[in-house]
């Protein structure tokens, strides 16, 4: 700390470098637990995320080499235990954890990878029963993908030699654990498919830990089994061991020995089955012969007198002939009656008759139309007469014809209805039933007054 007691000015870069050195020197390897958030894995292959708990958070980075070695896929919200070193990212002045190992909390990394791959392949339908193929009952050629030096191949050979020595075995040797083992197993499955003439295939190994069996949990092996044209029996580990290969295969065997027992039947069992079938066939043939003998005996008794049989047949022929005549007569009668009915219907539907009925209908319609027009015209004339009478009753011309006149004040030609509208000297126009006259007002009186002098013509 003596460095900071002296008055020494540092640049930001220098101070950041000092802090980075202190962090890397004192936190070269730490174990940190927390929850993943803000996970981002760009195309560079590096993985960036934030590790947090209830009180704080720290940025983390896992570079491509370490990230590729993970057996599971980290996800947001997952609680993990990580190992790494603390450093400082100088461009942003932020300290961060460079992780080189991740492990899910509460469950191992391999188990998490197993669960994630199982869910992925199940969604794609690789475990569907629709893809399962039937294992042949009597295979002539069996392919085996396993280690050539392991206990599995010895168990398979022992069982096959005991149960059925005639079967042909083709072994594709591979490594069953360690780096690259999964790709060897997948390649061997593809190779056996290219060989051809193989009826069934056993893929497996002996027991071991989850790490030992991991090659059979790899996606590359699962997809090789799924695309195999040859039915596949998986035989991995012991009865309690389950791998991804078991779910994809057409049939799972608990052990390699069990796979050998499933793939071929025992020669003694087959021999016993053949003998049982032979016995059943012999019994069936005996019964059939006995039934045939009984039938021949019955026929021989019935045909002792051929003339009797011929007489019976002749009588049956006569009966059938009479029945045929009766049925033919009935059919002819029905046909004749139907012809008569159809002829009558056809005569009623001749074009001349149809034309005549149409002509009569047209005449009736024309007559009805003439009557309707005449009634309509009469009603219209009556309506016009009534309307004319009503119009004449309220017409001003009818009033004028009885001696009345219409007075209009000039020059506006407004109708005069009261003497108060006029003054001496006003010019007015009088309209009569026939013609009109122009007048000048000399006097104007109220309604109760009367003129003192007779009007003078103008």
């Amino acid at each position: 700390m003596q460095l900071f007691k002296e008055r020494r000015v540092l640049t930001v870069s220098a101070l950041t470098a000092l802090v980075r050195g202190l962090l890397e020197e004192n936190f070269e390897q730490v174990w940190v637990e927390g929850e993943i958030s803000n996970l981002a894995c760009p195309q560079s292959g590096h993985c960036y995320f934030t590790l947090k708990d209830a009180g704080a958070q720290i940025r983390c980075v896992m570079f491509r080499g370490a990230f590729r070695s993970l057996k599971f896929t980290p996800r947001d919200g997952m609680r993990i235990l990580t190992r790494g070193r603390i450093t400082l990212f100088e461009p942003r002045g932020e300290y961060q954890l460079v992780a080189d190992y991740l492990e899910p909390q509460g469950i191992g990394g391999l188990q998490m990878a197993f669960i994630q791959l199982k869910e992925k392949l199940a969604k794609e339908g690789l475990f569907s029963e629709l893809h399962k193929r039937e294992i042949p009952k009597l295979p002539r050629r069996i392919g085996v993908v396993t280690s050539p030096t392991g206990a599995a191949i010895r168990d398979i050979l022992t069982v096959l030699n005991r149960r059925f020595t005639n079967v042909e075995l083709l072994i594709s040797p591979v490594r069953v654990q360690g780096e690259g083992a999964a790709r060897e197993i997948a390649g061997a499955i593809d190779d056996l498919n290219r060989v051809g003439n193989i009826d069934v295939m056993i893929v497996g190994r002996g027991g071991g830990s989850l790490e030992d069996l991991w090659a059979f949990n790899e996606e590359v092996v699962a997809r090789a089994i799924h695309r195999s044209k040859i039915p596949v029996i998986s035989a991995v580990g012991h009865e309690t061991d389950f791998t991804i290969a078991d779910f994809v295969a057409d049939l799972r065997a608990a052990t390699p020995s069990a796979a050998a027992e499933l793939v071929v039947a025992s020669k003694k069992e087959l021999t016993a089955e053949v003998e049982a079938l032979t016995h059943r066939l012999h019994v069936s043939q005996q019964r059939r012969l006995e039934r045939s003998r009984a039938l021949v005996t019955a026929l021989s008794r019935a045909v002792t007198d051929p003339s009797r049989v011929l007489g019976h047949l002749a009588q049956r022929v006569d009966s059938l002939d009479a029945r045929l005549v009766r049925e033919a007569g009935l059919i002819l009668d029905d046909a004749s009656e139907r012809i008569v009915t159809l002829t009558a219907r056809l005569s009623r539907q001749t074009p001349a008759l149809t034309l005549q009925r149409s002509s009569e209908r047209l005449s009736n319609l024309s007559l009805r139309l003439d009557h309707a027009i005449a009634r309509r015209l009469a009603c219209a004339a009556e309506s016009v007469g009534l309307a004319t009478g009503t119009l004449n009753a309220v017409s001003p011309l009818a009033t004028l014809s009885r001696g009345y006149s219409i007075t209009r004040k000039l020059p506006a030609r407004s109708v005069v209805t009261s003497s108060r509208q006029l003054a001496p000297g006003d010019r007015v126009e009088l309209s009569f039933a026939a013609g009109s006259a122009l007048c000048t007002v000399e006097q104007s009186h109220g309604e109760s007054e009367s003129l003192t002098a007779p009007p003078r013509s103008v």
Side-chain angles (χ1 to χ4, degrees), residues 120-137:
K120 174 184 175 182
L121 298 182
K123 289 180 180 178
E124 293 183 20
L126 268 69
F127 304 157
S128 173
E129 292 295 328
L130 298 176
H131 301 303
K132 305 297 184 184
R133 289 153 296 189
E134 186 176 357
I135 305 300
K137 189 173 182 180

Side-chain angles (χ1 to χ4, degrees), residues 252-321:
R252 175 189 178 265
T255 62
S257 299
E261 292 179 355
L262 289 172
V263 77
V264 293
S266 171
K267 192 171 185 179
K268 292 182 179 179
E269 295 174 359
L270 290 174
T271 302
E273 186 176 353
V274 169
E275 290 177 353
L277 291 173
T278 303
H279 177 69
R280 288 175 58 187
L281 179 61
H282 177 71
V283 171
S284 176
Q285 288 178 340
Q286 288 296 113
R287 290 176 180 174
R288 187 168 184 179
L289 286 173
E290 290 175 0
R291 287 196 298 269
S292 299
R293 289 193 188 100
L295 179 61
V296 170
T297 302
L299 291 175
S300 63
R301 290 174 181 174
V303 191
T304 54
D305 188 359
S307 62
R308 186 179 301 176
V309 176
L310 291 176
H312 176 73
L313 292 177
Q315 184 179 0
R316 182 168 178 76
V317 168
D318 292 339
S319 175
L320 292 175
D321 183 62

Side-chain angles (χ1 to χ4, degrees), residues 386-397:
L386 292 174
T388 301
T390 302
L391 184 61
N392 289 332
V394 298
S395 173
L397 295 177

Side-chain angles (χ1 to χ4, degrees), residues 143-146 156 174 176 185-186 188-189 192 200-205 216 221 225 228 231-237 243 245-246 249 251 253 256 259:
V144 180
V145 177
T146 189
I156 292 173
V174 294
V176 293
I185 296 170
I189 294 172
L192 289 179
V200 66
M201 185 189 312
I202 299 175
V203 179
R205 57 153 292 160
F216 295 89
V221 174
I225 294 175
S228 173
V232 176
I233 299 177
S234 65
V236 182
T243 63
D246 294 329
L251 181 65

